Amino acid sequence: PDTHWTLSISGTVLNAYLTTDFCNYDSSGAATDCAPKGTPLTTQPKYKLNASARYDFKVDDYKPFVEADVQTQGSTRSQLFNADEAAEGPTPAFTTVDLSAGLSHNNWTFSVFVQNLADKTIALLQFQNAGAPLANRYNAPRTVGANIIYRW
């Protein structure tokens, strides 16, 4: 085995759905909207995966590294009731990539990173409240940064 590499993968597969009918009721007790048993739950993707590859090596007294991370998930239902879901549609599947590189020396570590490398705009959540216009919650745009760490 090559001790320079650290590889990881994690994920989940979901089949989250209603086990009984779910209805909204008006003040008179009459059902106004119903989602039937078996309707997929909102915001729950069928799958979600994360993978990471990191390469650590040594140059004299320095310990450099490079790392790549990938996150992906399936589409999600945005609304529980079928009429609302038909009007607004699902939240799309997405994949993002993050990169980082850095080096350590003695007690110091310096690293640079790029999150959301492709600068994808992803609607993570779609919602509507009491007839208001559809609203979305988005991921962060491409983010470039650096870290300096001193370990005591």
Side-chain angles (χ1 to χ4, degrees):
D2 187 336
T3 59
H4 296 287
W5 285 101
T6 303
L7 305 173
S8 67
I9 188 166
S10 62
T12 186
V13 176
L14 295 174
N15 188 17
Y17 57 89
L18 293 175
T19 57
T20 62
D21 292 348
F22 180 85
C23 298
N24 276 340
Y25 296 91
D26 64 17
S27 59
S28 70
T32 57
D33 289 309
C34 287
K37 175 182 176 179
T39 299
L41 295 182
T42 61
T43 70
Q44 302 302 309
K46 295 258 185 222
Y47 67 89
K48 191 165 191 170
L49 298 169
N50 296 294
S52 177
R54 180 177 170 122
Y55 188 78
D56 290 285
F57 53 104
K58 196 167 183 182
V59 177
D60 295 324
D61 290 337
Y62 295 91
K63 297 177 185 172
F65 73 89
V66 292
E67 183 172 335
D69 302 289
V70 177
Q71 305 82 34
T72 188
Q73 79 170 43
S75 64
T76 64
R77 186 177 175 100
S78 63
Q79 300 297 316
L80 187 59
F81 300 114
N82 290 333
D84 295 336
E85 180 69 7
E88 297 169 18
T91 303
F94 66 86
T95 300
T96 61
V97 175
D98 302 334
L99 300 175
S100 62
L103 61 94
S104 296
H105 181 69
N106 297 329
N107 295 356
W108 291 93
T109 300
F110 173 76
S111 62
V112 294
F113 62 86
V114 179
Q115 296 173 330
N116 189 10
L117 179 66
D119 200 21
K120 289 184 179 181
T121 300
I122 301 163
L124 300 174
L125 179 65
Q126 298 180 124
F127 54 94
Q128 190 168 23
N129 192 8
L134 179 66
N136 290 309
R137 179 171 181 217
Y138 294 100
N139 66 313
R142 179 186 302 128
T143 304
V144 178
N147 293 311
I148 299 175
I149 300 169
Y150 182 82
R151 298 189 196 283
W152 302 100

